Amino acid sequence: PPRLKRYNRLIARRRAAVETTFAMLKRRMKLTTIRYVGLAKAAAQVTMAAIAFNMRRWAAITG
């Protein structure tokens, strides 16, 4: 429907940025499954992957 097309056009930029980030975490950092049992350890794994992702971005931006 035209309403849905307009909505998708409005959010496409934001969605692309988010989807790219998650795709990178899954593909490059192998974050497809959580390896640890327990919320604290699982959160630490995701946090470390996010830190590594941001450091890679920072290195690419600063050259």
Side-chain angles (χ1 to χ4, degrees), residues 9 29 37 39 60:
R9 229 184 359 255
M29 314 233 172
V37 176
L39 190 58

Side-chain angles (χ1 to χ4, degrees), residues 2 8 10 24 30 41 46-48 51 58 60-61:
N8 281 332
L10 289 173
M24 185 77 67
K30 308 278 193 260
K41 289 180 184 178
V46 173
T47 302
M48 292 301 288
I51 289 170
W58 177 73
I61 289 170

Side-chain angles (χ1 to χ4, degrees):
R3 191 174 123 239
L4 187 58
K5 284 185 181 182
R6 182 172 177 268
Y7 175 72
N8 281 332
R9 229 184 359 255
L10 289 173
I11 65 169
R13 243 186 180 168
R14 176 67 57 160
R15 181 182 285 166
V18 171
E19 293 291 332
T20 302
T21 302
F22 282 112
M24 185 77 67
L25 287 171
K26 286 178 75 173
R27 196 175 340 110
R28 284 211 176 152
M29 314 233 172
K30 308 278 193 260
L31 200 63
T32 54
T33 58
I34 301 296
R35 295 176 181 251
Y36 302 105
V37 176
L39 190 58
K41 289 180 184 178
Q45 180 187 1
V46 173
T47 302
M48 292 301 288
I51 289 170
F53 174 77
N54 286 328
M55 288 178 71
R56 286 183 82 137
R57 282 182 47 204
W58 177 73
I61 289 170
T62 59

